[in-house]
Amino acid sequence: MNSIKNVPARVLSRRPGHSLEAEREQFDKTQAISISKAINSQEAPVKEKHARRIILGTHHEKGAFTFWSYAIGLPLPSSSILSWKFCHVLHKVLRDGHPNVLHDCQRYRSNIREIGDLWGHLRDQYGHLVNIYTKLLLTKISFHLKHPQFPAGLEVTDEVLEKAAGTDVNNIFQLTVEMFDYMDCELKLSESVFRQLNTAIAVSQMSSGQCRLAPLIQVIQDCSHLYHYTVKLMFKLHSCLPADTLQGHRDRFHEQFHSLRNFFRRASDMLYFKRLIQIPRLPEGPPNFLRASALAEHIKPVVVIPEEAPEEEEPENLIEISSGPPAGEPVVVADLFDQTFGPPNGSMKDDRDLQIENLKREVETLRAELEKIKMEAQRYISQLKGQVNSLEAELEEQRKQKQKALVDNEQLRHELAQLKALQLEGARNQGLREEAERKASATEARYSKLKEKHNELINTHAELLRKNADTAKQLTVTQQSQEEVARVKEQLAFQMEQVKRESEMKMEEQSDQLEKLKRELVAKAGELAHAQEALSRTEQSGSELSSRLDTLNAEKEALSGAIRQREAELLAAQSLVREKEEALSQEQQRSAQEKGELQGRLAEKESQEQGLQQKLLDEQFAVLRGAAAEAEAILQDAVSKLDDPLHLRCTSSPDYLVSRAQAALDSVSGLEKGHTQYLASSEALAFVPADASALVAALTRFSHLAADTIVNGGATSHLAPTDPADRLIDTCRECGARALELMGQLQDQTKLPRAQPSLMRAPLQGILQLGQDLKPKSLDVRQEELGAMVDKEMAATSAAIEDAVRRIEDMMNQARHESSGVKLEVNERILNSCTDLMKAIRLLVMTSTSLQKEIVESGRGAATQQEFYAKNSRWTEGLISASKAVGWGATQLVESADKVVLHMGKYEELIVCSHEIAASTAQLVAASKVKANKNSPHLSRLQECSRTVNERAANVVASTKSGQEQIEDRDTMDFSGLSLIKLKKQEMETQVRVLELEKTLEAERVRLGELRKQHYVLAGGMGTPGEEEPSRPSPAPRSGATKKPPLAQKPSIAPRPDNQVPGIGAGLGRSLPAVEWGLHSLSGTYASISSTEPLIFDPCSSTRRMVSTQLNL
């Protein structure tokens, strides 16, 4: 064996294999080449091999990061063809690429939209197509992100479609609308492409035409699936909703069906598509959704993409394998091994060389066999796909027939069951049927009356439209008749001039002939005279000239005959001229008569047109008067609601009143515009009819919005304080009075021009301002800071509770060192109960935090946590308020316990703090419960923790009461040594003391009530400042104003003489009024959260004052 010499670097690099970095570099290079070849500015379709490599690249890296990294650097704004081919490649990548491509494309939505907007503003054929294509791609990305059950290729089974639609009819309705929008974008792109092909006179075999037609292959694939899904969803909707409700859906589907059918028909006729895709044919007519069995007749359209022949391209050696040398350089490559490892021993080859050659030959053989196997596999795959498609079509047909048979069988079974039920219950339900028939007849009568009114309005409107069309048509006919009369007059004048010219020409010809005959006669007479003279001169030769004389006589007779003939012809010509003149005079008379008749008819038509115009004006004003009368009735009904006792229980929020008042204020502009247009059209020319449609539409909208504003203003006043409620009611009455006055002016034709709709702005602005003033005030917190405030307050609450537990442990250790005996026992019992209460509160806060996170995660969707808090700002503010209250209560409890242990405070402070903690935790639970799912496990644990907190608070109260009874010394009250006078004196002093304490107690209760009212004001409860105290009787209702409903009044809690409840503990009875007050206050807080009222307030100051007042009580 020869020794190994210097080995080339290329051979050494082959042995260890490529590293991951090299593979990544090779992948990026391949993708860059494919993207640059697929997306270029040449007006030719994208080659499938380049698009296929890009799609395989997305599957290789499980996303479209590499594609977008290269695509974002393309100069798309510089070339519309480059942008068009980019959209085509992106469409193919979305359809056939990795599922993560959809999420990667979501991040580049703004880039796609910018390209579409840029080319949409430019006048370029490809630019217009790029604008439409980008809208389609954005719609596709949004749809598949919202409905992840549908892949980007839109190929799902009927079971997946049923699962995605669900059972909620609202979801099915919305999904159908979104699919309609999806289909509209697809069809709009195809129509724009075909329109440009027609205008450019391009054919499908030209490169420019193929460049435009290539993306329609993906459009055909998408449309076939969307058509099938919309048919399924429409049948499902018709099984759940009445047919009248889905009339708009049916009209939209029919329009899309005809557009899609024309699109498929035009595409199937083009040679370009025949070799690339097999386009299905849709039925002649759309499915009949009103017949449930028609679903069985529906056949799913199947699009078949035939397998393409492998394109000739240079193979890329992903794995380098040594092969035989090419023909051009046999010596260099053949000696490569010898140059590397040296010449062999002797002339015989080494065994390794023989093995290498054998392996090379085997590799070549296997490569040829592999190519054959690939070709056969592709052929088999194409055949199997065709068979699969045909079998799927047959299976779909069998399934439809089976479904149809099941539907028919179910209908027959249902009918049989109905017949049996009718036979069994016929006699028993006779009376019920008669009563139902009476009710049905009454209902049908009411329905028929309503239907007659509706038909009458429709017929009136149609008659007005028809009369307007007839008037326009009659005007057109009259103008045509005038033009025809003028044309006939011109023809008659031309004919008269022609007849005159012909008669003059004939007269001239006759006169010429007559003059010629006269000249000939004169000549003959001269000749005769010469002849006579010659005869007289030649009387001697009479015999010779007799014969000549006879000849002349004969010629004379011939000439006289010719003269007579000429005279007869002249007479005939003169008679012909006279006949022509008579005919001409008759024609003139007839034309004059026809002209008079036509002028009379024209005058009659003009009078009829004026009458019709006047009638149309009257009918337009009648329609306007009817609309004004109906609006007046609506407004009168709304004004009457202000004094209706049944309306007292109706309430509304200031936010809704502000929205209604703003909408009514905006409708005043439309009313002014319609009024101005009607007056301008009425004062225009006589042949222009007045247009009252804009005024009627604006009047209808204004009347409904104004009535809604008045009704909601009265409902809002039921929850408002006294003075604002009075002002709001008066402003609503003023608004109603002005609106009724305006309606009266619009019904009077003389007062109509002087009507001023702008006068309605002042009362509506007054209602809007009062609604703004009645809105509850909240802290000046920006919505962007709400999310941070929630986390901050919850963390602060948890920290306060942890600090309270730590301080209680320190106090317990200090009490063990500084006290003993009964005091130590009492202090340990109180501190142990406080520790248990703090632990329960900490568990409740942790559970509330978990529930809050669950609510945010389930409700925010694609939005961030900060956006969810900003969107639900009212609920967020309620959480912040409740968290503040819990943290402050825990801190206050620890301070009170510290004072009690050090004998510096009162036991009553500890009891009141326990009551406040119970109320604050109940408020936190209520605020967390608003948006939580009722089946949530976190909600169940939160409610359990709330009950535990209430029990621990009762234990604190009980421990405090028992400890107070053990420590405080009781007087024996021994009165045996007192005389009757002293006993009487002490009795009177005791009664004085009792009266003083009762007076102080009453004053403190009044103060407590005022503090609670101020607390409600800070909590955002609407109408609280105007409510009375619980212990005072309600005053008589004011005149002209309504009494507030019971739901808006503060619950009155009667004081209990001894707040002891057996079975729980002596202290728990005294905690119940505070808990009950907390629950009543939380009912208002819960209602304000549900009605999106703000809840942020600072509870510390008001709650501290209430605590001190309760201590005094």
Side-chain angles (χ1 to χ4, degrees):
M1 292 290 296
N2 293 332
S3 60
I4 298 177
K5 299 180 180 180
N6 296 329
V7 181
R10 183 169 62 85
V11 177
L12 291 174
S13 64
R14 289 177 182 175
R15 294 179 180 178
H18 294 289
S19 62
L20 293 178
E21 292 78 5
E23 290 181 1
R24 180 64 189 181
E25 183 179 358
Q26 181 66 23
F27 172 75
D28 292 342
K29 181 179 179 182
T30 305
Q31 288 293 301
I33 294 173
S34 301
I35 291 172
S36 62
K37 288 183 178 181
I39 306 175
N40 52 43
S41 58
Q42 297 179 0
E43 194 172 6
V46 177
K47 290 188 178 181
E48 284 296 325
K49 61 181 180 180
H50 303 317
R52 191 183 305 113
R53 287 176 182 173
I54 297 173
I55 294 170
L56 291 176
T58 62
H59 288 280
H60 176 74
E61 68 172 355
K62 295 181 176 56
F65 176 77
T66 303
F67 170 76
W68 277 108
S69 63
Y70 288 107
I72 203 69
L74 294 174
L76 299 180
S78 62
S79 173
S80 58
I81 299 177
L82 190 70
S83 302
W84 172 253
K85 298 178 80 171
F86 165 73
C87 294
H88 183 196
V89 173
L90 181 59
H91 196 174
K92 295 176 72 69
V93 169
L94 283 172
R95 277 189 54 84
D96 304 329
H98 195 271
N100 293 336
V101 170
L102 199 63
H103 299 281
D104 294 338
C105 293
Q106 172 68 15
R107 293 192 289 268
Y108 296 93
R109 285 175 59 92
S110 59
N111 301 86
I112 301 173
R113 185 181 294 107
E114 288 176 0
I115 293 299
D117 294 340
L118 171 65
W119 288 110
H121 295 304
L122 302 177
R123 293 186 177 179
D124 186 86
Q125 291 187 350
Y126 275 103
H128 178 64
L129 296 179
V130 169
N131 184 17
I132 299 174
Y133 210 161
T134 54
K135 293 178 181 177
L136 169 60
L137 294 175
L138 292 174
T139 304
K140 185 178 184 69
I141 293 172
S142 301
F143 178 82
H144 292 291
L145 286 176
K146 186 176 181 181
H147 303 284
Q149 303 90 346
F150 294 94
L154 283 172
E155 189 171 356
V156 297
T157 60
D158 293 342
E159 291 78 9
V160 177
L161 178 63
E162 292 288 337
K163 184 177 179 181
T167 57
D168 189 359
V169 68
N170 296 320
N171 295 336
I172 303 174
F173 193 92
Q174 184 63 27
L175 181 59
T176 308
V177 171
E178 292 175 358
M179 285 194 174
F180 280 155
D181 296 339
Y182 200 165
M183 179 74 82
D184 283 338
C185 295
E186 302 275 2
L187 295 175
K188 187 176 180 181
L189 178 62
S190 64
E191 291 173 359
S192 301
V193 170
F194 282 132
R195 193 181 303 114
Q196 288 198 8
L197 286 178
N198 292 336
T199 56
I201 318 178
V203 293
S204 62
Q205 296 302 316
M206 298 175 63
S207 60
S208 60
Q210 292 178 359
C211 183
R212 291 180 172 89
L213 291 173
L216 297 187
I217 296 176
Q218 284 73 39
V219 174
I220 293 171
Q221 292 175 323
D222 291 345
C223 289
S224 63
H225 294 297
L226 289 174
Y227 168 74
H228 176 64
Y229 300 152
T230 52
V231 170
K232 289 280 189 180
L233 293 176
M234 285 291 288
F235 274 109
K236 192 166 185 179
L237 279 177
H238 279 78
S239 64
C240 302
L241 296 175
D244 295 338
T245 306
L246 299 172
Q247 182 63 40
H249 274 45
R250 287 198 301 275
D251 295 341
R252 191 173 182 186
F253 177 83
H254 291 167
E255 182 180 355
Q256 290 186 354
F257 173 80
H258 294 299
S259 300
L260 182 62
R261 189 172 181 274
N262 293 333
F263 169 42
F264 282 1
R265 179 179 55 79
R266 293 183 65 180
S268 61
D269 293 339
M270 291 187 175
L271 296 176
Y272 175 71
F273 291 110
K274 289 185 178 180
R275 64 183 181 84
L276 296 177
I277 187 172
Q278 182 179 347
I279 303 174
R281 290 190 176 274
L282 298 181
E284 294 295 331
N288 185 9
F289 298 113
L290 302 179
R291 183 167 55 89
S293 59
L295 178 60
E297 303 172 1
H298 169 67
I299 299 176
K300 177 181 179 181
V302 180
V303 177
V304 179
I305 304 293
E307 288 293 332
E308 299 179 354
E311 300 179 359
E312 296 182 359
E313 55 179 341
E314 296 181 0
E316 297 181 359
N317 293 329
L318 300 179
I319 302 176
E320 295 185 1
I321 300 176
S322 300
S323 57
E329 45 181 5
V331 179
V332 176
V333 181
D335 295 340
L336 179 62
F337 191 85
D338 294 339
Q339 293 176 2
T340 305
F341 298 102
N345 292 330
S347 61
M348 299 297 293
K349 292 185 177 181
D350 194 3
D351 294 339
R352 185 173 297 174
D353 297 336
L354 295 175
Q355 291 178 0
I356 290 172
E357 292 179 357
N358 293 332
L359 289 174
K360 287 181 180 179
R361 287 193 295 272
E362 290 178 359
V363 166
E364 293 296 331
T365 305
L366 292 175
R367 185 177 295 170
E369 292 179 356
L370 181 61
E371 292 295 330
K372 292 180 182 179
I373 291 172
K374 284 183 178 180
M375 294 176 64
E376 291 179 358
Q378 289 179 355
R379 186 171 64 254
Y380 289 152
I381 288 171
S382 61
Q383 293 177 358
L384 290 174
K385 283 187 176 179
Q387 294 178 1
V388 167
N389 291 331
S390 61
L391 290 174
E392 285 181 353
E394 293 178 0
L395 179 61
E396 188 69 22
E397 182 67 23
Q398 294 294 334
R399 188 180 298 165
K400 301 306 178 187
Q401 293 180 359
K402 179 181 178 182
Q403 187 174 2
K404 182 178 179 182
L406 290 174
V407 170
D408 295 339
N409 188 13
E410 188 66 26
Q411 290 179 352
L412 292 175
R413 188 177 299 169
H414 183 63
E415 291 176 359
L416 181 60
Q418 286 182 347
L419 290 175
K420 289 181 179 180
L422 289 174
Q423 290 177 358
L424 292 175
E425 299 180 0
R428 186 172 53 187
N429 296 333
Q430 185 66 28
L432 296 175
R433 185 164 56 252
E434 291 177 357
E435 184 179 357
E437 287 176 357
R438 286 195 301 270
K439 291 182 179 179
S441 61
T443 305
E444 187 175 0
R446 289 195 297 271
Y447 176 72
S448 62
K449 289 180 181 179
L450 292 175
K451 189 174 182 181
E452 288 175 0
K453 285 187 177 181
H454 181 66
N455 292 332
E456 184 178 355
L457 290 174
I458 292 175
N459 293 332
T460 303
H461 183 63
E463 187 66 23
L464 289 175
L465 294 176
R466 195 179 302 113
K467 288 179 179 179
N468 191 8
D470 292 342
T471 303
K473 187 175 181 182
Q474 289 175 2
L475 285 174
T476 306
V477 171
T478 304
Q479 292 176 357
Q480 291 177 357
S481 62
Q482 289 178 354
E483 293 174 357
E484 186 177 0
V485 168
R487 191 164 52 252
V488 169
K489 287 172 65 177
E490 292 176 357
Q491 291 178 357
L492 289 175
F494 179 77
Q495 291 178 0
M496 288 175 65
E497 292 177 356
Q498 188 176 5
V499 170
K500 284 181 180 180
R501 286 195 298 271
E502 290 177 355
S503 61
E504 289 174 357
M505 292 173 64
K506 288 184 179 180
M507 288 288 292
E508 290 176 356
E509 290 176 357
Q510 293 295 334
S511 61
D512 293 337
Q513 291 178 1
L514 184 59
E515 290 176 355
K516 184 178 180 182
L517 289 174
K518 287 181 179 179
R519 286 193 299 272
E520 290 178 355
L521 183 59
V522 170
K524 294 298 181 181
E527 289 179 0
L528 182 58
H530 289 298
Q532 288 177 357
E533 291 177 356
L535 183 59
S536 63
R537 285 194 303 268
T538 58
E539 286 180 353
Q540 295 85 5
S541 58
S543 55
E544 292 86 356
L545 294 177
S546 59
S547 59
R548 186 176 180 183
L549 183 59
D550 296 332
T551 305
L552 290 174
N553 289 329
E555 290 177 358
K556 180 181 179 182
E557 290 176 357
L559 289 173
S560 62
I563 291 170
R564 288 192 296 269
Q565 184 178 1
R566 293 295 182 183
E567 289 177 351
E569 289 178 357
L570 181 60
L571 293 174
Q574 290 177 353
S575 63
L576 181 61
V577 170
R578 285 194 297 272
E579 289 177 358
K580 291 292 183 181
E581 288 177 352
E582 292 175 357
L584 182 60
S585 63
Q586 291 177 359
E587 187 68 27
Q588 289 177 351
Q589 292 176 359
R590 187 168 60 83
S591 61
Q593 185 179 0
E594 288 179 355
K595 181 179 180 181
E597 291 177 357
L598 290 174
Q599 287 178 352
R601 290 173 58 186
L602 180 60
E604 184 181 356
K605 291 292 184 182
E606 289 177 353
S607 63
Q608 290 180 358
E609 180 185 356
Q610 291 177 358
L612 290 174
Q613 287 180 358
Q614 184 62 33
K615 187 175 181 181
L616 181 60
L617 287 173
D618 297 338
E619 288 174 351
Q620 289 274 354
F621 180 73
V623 172
L624 176 59
R625 183 169 55 193
E630 187 66 21
E632 183 179 10
I634 293 172
L635 291 168
Q636 187 64 41
D637 181 69
V639 173
S640 64
K641 288 280 196 306
L642 298 177
D643 299 327
D644 190 1
L646 299 177
H647 191 250
L648 295 178
R649 298 185 63 85
C650 297
T651 59
S652 179
S653 65
D655 288 333
Y656 187 73
L657 176 61
V658 168
S659 64
R660 293 293 85 197
Q662 186 63 45
L665 195 58
D666 294 338
S667 67
V668 174
S669 301
L671 185 61
E672 292 178 348
K673 184 178 180 182
H675 181 257
T676 305
Q677 290 180 358
Y678 180 77
L679 293 180
S681 60
S682 299
E683 295 172 359
L685 297 177
F687 56 85
V688 179
D691 186 13
S693 59
L695 181 56
V696 171
L699 184 61
T700 305
R701 175 177 173 80
F702 168 76
S703 61
H704 284 86
L705 291 175
D708 197 8
T709 302
I710 293 171
V711 172
N712 282 283
T716 306
S717 68
H718 298 161
L719 293 179
T722 304
D723 294 337
D726 291 338
R727 291 196 301 271
L728 184 58
I729 287 292
D730 294 339
T731 309
C732 290
R733 293 183 191 277
E734 181 185 358
C735 180
R738 290 195 181 181
L740 292 175
E741 182 181 358
L742 178 62
M743 297 303 110
Q745 291 176 350
L746 293 178
Q747 294 180 49
D748 191 353
Q749 197 164 8
T750 59
K751 298 180 180 179
L752 178 60
R754 297 193 301 272
Q756 296 181 359
S758 59
L759 296 178
M760 292 302 303
R761 293 184 182 275
L764 288 175
Q765 288 176 351
I767 294 175
L768 181 64
Q769 184 61 37
L770 288 173
Q772 294 285 356
D773 296 338
L774 286 175
K775 278 187 176 181
K777 306 302 184 294
S778 60
L779 292 181
D780 188 12
V781 180
R782 292 183 298 174
Q783 290 186 347
E784 295 82 8
E785 301 175 356
L786 286 177
M789 285 188 63
V790 172
D791 297 335
K792 180 179 179 181
E793 290 299 330
M794 296 300 288
T797 303
S798 300
I801 294 172
E802 294 289 342
D803 183 67
V805 172
R806 186 168 58 254
R807 288 180 60 186
I808 290 173
E809 291 177 356
D810 295 338
M811 285 188 290
M812 185 175 293
N813 295 330
Q814 184 179 359
R816 288 172 180 171
H817 289 89
E818 296 179 359
S819 60
S820 61
V822 176
K823 291 185 179 180
L824 178 60
E825 180 183 356
V826 170
N827 292 337
E828 285 183 350
R829 187 163 61 247
I830 293 175
L831 292 177
N832 286 331
S833 62
C834 292
T835 303
D836 295 338
L837 177 58
M838 290 296 106
K839 291 180 180 179
I841 294 174
R842 180 175 57 184
L843 182 60
L844 183 137
V845 171
M846 293 172 60
T847 308
S848 176
T849 305
S850 302
L851 179 60
Q852 172 196 345
K853 293 180 180 179
E854 179 184 352
I855 293 170
V856 173
E857 291 298 325
S858 63
R860 69 185 180 94
T864 62
Q865 185 175 357
Q866 302 294 334
E867 292 175 351
F868 177 81
Y869 283 129
K871 181 180 178 182
N872 301 274
S873 58
R874 306 296 190 239
W875 175 73
T876 306
E877 291 168 356
L879 282 177
I880 294 172
S881 173
S883 177
K884 281 185 177 181
V886 172
W888 181 84
T891 305
Q892 205 63 22
L893 179 66
V894 172
E895 292 177 359
S896 301
D898 190 11
K899 292 179 181 179
V900 169
V901 171
L902 298 176
H903 306 288
M904 298 171 60
K906 301 178 181 179
Y907 288 95
E908 287 79 7
E909 292 181 1
L910 200 57
I911 295 172
V912 172
C913 288
S914 301
H915 294 170
E916 292 299 323
I917 286 178
S920 301
T921 53
Q923 180 183 357
L924 181 61
V925 171
S928 302
K929 188 178 179 182
V930 173
K931 288 187 175 294
N933 187 5
K934 63 180 181 179
N935 298 323
S936 173
H938 291 290
L939 179 60
S940 302
R941 288 196 293 272
L942 181 64
Q943 293 174 346
E944 183 65 29
C945 291
S946 177
R947 289 191 289 269
T948 304
V949 168
N950 290 333
E951 293 175 0
R952 294 296 196 290
N955 292 335
V956 171
V957 173
S959 301
T960 305
K961 292 289 292 182
S962 61
Q964 183 180 10
E965 291 175 358
Q966 289 182 8
I967 292 177
E968 290 181 354
D969 295 329
R970 298 292 185 180
D971 294 333
T972 56
M973 292 186 184
D974 185 15
F975 305 110
S976 59
L978 297 177
S979 63
L980 181 61
I981 300 300
K982 289 184 179 182
L983 285 173
K984 191 64 176 178
K985 183 179 180 181
Q986 288 188 7
E987 181 182 353
M988 293 177 63
E989 291 175 353
T990 304
Q991 289 179 357
V992 171
R993 180 61 177 166
V994 168
L995 292 175
E996 290 176 353
L997 291 176
E998 286 178 352
K999 183 178 179 181
T1000 306
L1001 178 62
E1002 184 65 24
E1004 291 297 324
R1005 281 178 176 171
V1006 171
R1007 187 168 182 268
L1008 178 61
E1010 293 297 329
L1011 288 174
R1012 285 179 176 176
K1013 287 199 294 184
Q1014 183 63 23
H1015 187 275
Y1016 295 159
V1017 171
L1018 292 176
M1022 192 184 72
T1024 307
E1027 295 171 1
E1028 297 296 331
E1029 299 167 3
S1031 60
R1032 294 184 181 179
S1034 300
R1038 60 186 182 274
S1039 60
T1042 57
K1043 182 182 176 182
K1044 296 181 181 179
L1047 290 177
Q1049 298 176 358
K1050 187 191 300 179
S1052 59
I1053 307 172
R1056 297 176 181 171
D1058 188 9
N1059 297 321
Q1060 297 291 332
V1061 178
I1064 297 178
L1068 181 59
R1070 295 190 178 181
S1071 68
L1072 288 179
V1075 175
E1076 187 176 0
W1077 166 80
L1079 293 177
H1080 278 294
S1081 65
L1082 283 176
S1083 65
T1085 303
Y1086 188 87
S1088 65
I1089 294 172
S1090 302
S1091 61
T1092 66
E1093 294 290 15
L1095 280 178
I1096 283 190
F1097 64 98
D1098 186 8
C1100 300
S1101 60
S1102 61
T1103 309
R1104 190 178 296 112
R1105 288 195 293 268
M1106 285 195 294
V1107 169
S1108 62
T1109 304
Q1110 291 183 1
L1111 287 174
N1112 295 330
L1113 290 175

Coordinates of all heavy atoms in Angstrom, one line a residue, residues 36 73 201 269 292 321 330 379 522 561 602 641 651 672 733 749 863 865 917 966 974 997 1004 1081:
S36 N -36.2 35.5 -5.1 CA -35.9 36.5 -6.1 C -36.3 36.0 -7.5 O -36.7 36.9 -8.4 CB -34.4 36.7 -6.1 OG -33.7 35.5 -6.4
G73 N -37.6 43.3 2.2 CA -36.6 44.2 1.6 C -36.8 44.4 0.1 O -36.0 45.0 -0.6
I201 N -57.4 43.5 -24.4 CA -57.5 42.5 -25.6 C -56.4 41.5 -25.4 O -55.7 41.3 -26.4 CB -57.5 43.3 -26.9 CG1 -58.3 44.6 -26.8 CG2 -58.0 42.4 -28.0 CD1 -58.3 45.4 -28.1
D269 N -63.6 28.1 -19.9 CA -63.4 28.2 -21.3 C -62.0 28.7 -21.8 O -61.8 28.6 -23.0 CB -64.5 29.3 -21.8 CG -65.9 28.8 -21.6 OD1 -66.1 27.6 -21.5 OD2 -66.8 29.6 -21.6
A292 N -86.3 22.0 3.1 CA -85.2 21.4 3.8 C -84.7 20.2 3.1 O -83.5 19.9 3.1 CB -85.7 20.9 5.2
I321 N -22.0 13.0 -3.7 CA -21.6 11.6 -4.0 C -20.7 11.6 -5.2 O -21.0 12.3 -6.2 CB -22.8 10.8 -4.2 CG1 -23.7 10.8 -3.0 CG2 -22.4 9.3 -4.5 CD1 -25.0 10.1 -3.1
P330 N -11.9 13.2 -19.0 CA -11.8 11.9 -18.4 C -10.5 11.7 -17.7 O -10.4 11.0 -16.7 CB -11.9 11.0 -19.6 CG -11.4 11.8 -20.8 CD -11.8 13.2 -20.5
R379 N -47.4 8.8 -11.3 CA -48.5 8.4 -12.2 C -49.6 7.7 -11.4 O -50.8 8.0 -11.5 CB -48.0 7.5 -13.3 CG -49.1 7.2 -14.3 CD -48.5 6.5 -15.6 NE -47.9 5.2 -15.2 CZ -46.6 4.9 -15.2 NH1 -45.8 5.9 -15.4 NH2 -46.2 3.7 -14.8
V522 N -95.0 80.2 -88.3 CA -94.7 81.4 -89.0 C -93.8 81.1 -90.2 O -94.0 81.7 -91.3 CB -94.0 82.4 -88.0 CG1 -93.4 83.6 -88.8 CG2 -95.0 82.9 -87.0
G561 N -102.5 69.7 -88.5 CA -102.7 68.6 -87.5 C -101.7 68.6 -86.4 O -102.0 68.3 -85.2
L602 N -100.8 69.3 -27.7 CA -99.7 69.8 -26.9 C -100.2 70.6 -25.7 O -99.7 70.5 -24.6 CB -98.7 70.5 -27.7 CG -97.4 71.1 -27.0 CD1 -96.6 69.9 -26.4 CD2 -96.6 71.8 -28.0
K641 N -95.6 60.0 29.0 CA -94.9 59.1 29.9 C -94.3 59.8 31.1 O -94.1 59.2 32.1 CB -93.8 58.4 29.1 CG -94.2 57.4 28.1 CD -94.5 56.1 28.7 CE -94.6 54.9 27.7 NZ -95.4 55.2 26.5
T651 N -86.2 53.1 35.1 CA -84.9 53.8 35.4 C -84.0 53.8 34.2 O -84.1 52.9 33.4 CB -84.3 53.2 36.7 OG1 -83.9 51.9 36.4 CG2 -85.2 53.4 37.9
E672 N -82.8 69.9 9.6 CA -82.7 71.2 9.0 C -82.3 71.1 7.5 O -82.9 71.8 6.6 CB -81.6 72.0 9.7 CG -81.9 72.4 11.1 CD -80.8 73.1 11.8 OE1 -79.7 73.1 11.3 OE2 -81.0 73.7 12.8
R733 N -89.9 68.4 29.3 CA -91.2 69.0 28.9 C -91.0 70.1 27.9 O -91.8 70.2 26.9 CB -91.9 69.5 30.2 CG -92.4 68.5 31.2 CD -93.1 69.1 32.3 NE -93.3 68.2 33.4 CZ -94.3 67.3 33.4 NH1 -95.1 67.2 32.4 NH2 -94.4 66.4 34.4
Q749 N -99.4 73.9 5.6 CA -98.7 74.3 4.4 C -98.3 75.8 4.5 O -97.3 76.2 3.9 CB -99.5 74.0 3.2 CG -98.7 74.0 1.9 CD -99.5 73.3 0.8 OE1 -100.6 73.0 0.9 NE2 -98.8 73.1 -0.3
A863 N -56.2 41.0 22.7 CA -55.7 42.3 23.3 C -54.8 42.0 24.5 O -54.7 40.9 25.1 CB -56.9 43.1 23.8
Q865 N -53.2 42.8 28.4 CA -53.9 42.9 29.7 C -54.2 44.4 30.0 O -55.3 44.7 30.6 CB -52.9 42.4 30.8 CG -53.5 42.4 32.2 CD -52.6 41.7 33.2 OE1 -51.6 41.2 32.8 NE2 -53.0 41.7 34.5
I917 N -64.3 44.8 58.1 CA -63.6 43.8 57.3 C -64.5 42.9 56.6 O -64.4 42.5 55.4 CB -62.6 43.1 58.2 CG1 -61.4 44.0 58.5 CG2 -62.1 41.8 57.5 CD1 -60.3 43.4 59.4
Q966 N -64.8 39.2 80.9 CA -63.9 38.6 81.9 C -63.1 39.7 82.7 O -62.9 39.6 83.9 CB -63.0 37.6 81.3 CG -63.7 36.3 80.9 CD -62.7 35.3 80.3 OE1 -61.5 35.5 80.3 NE2 -63.3 34.2 79.7
D974 N -75.7 46.9 95.2 CA -76.3 46.7 96.5 C -77.0 48.0 97.0 O -76.3 48.9 97.3 CB -75.2 46.2 97.5 CG -75.9 45.8 98.9 OD1 -77.1 45.7 98.9 OD2 -75.1 45.7 99.8
L997 N -78.1 59.8 77.4 CA -77.5 58.8 76.5 C -78.3 58.5 75.3 O -77.8 58.3 74.2 CB -77.2 57.5 77.3 CG -76.2 57.6 78.4 CD1 -76.1 56.3 79.2 CD2 -74.8 57.9 77.8
E1004 N -75.8 60.5 67.3 CA -74.8 59.7 66.6 C -75.3 58.8 65.5 O -74.7 58.6 64.5 CB -74.1 58.7 67.6 CG -73.2 59.5 68.7 CD -72.1 60.2 68.0 OE1 -71.5 59.6 67.0 OE2 -71.7 61.3 68.5
S1081 N -75.1 47.9 50.9 CA -74.2 48.9 50.1 C -73.6 48.2 48.9 O -73.5 48.7 47.8 CB -73.1 49.4 51.0 OG -72.3 48.4 51.4

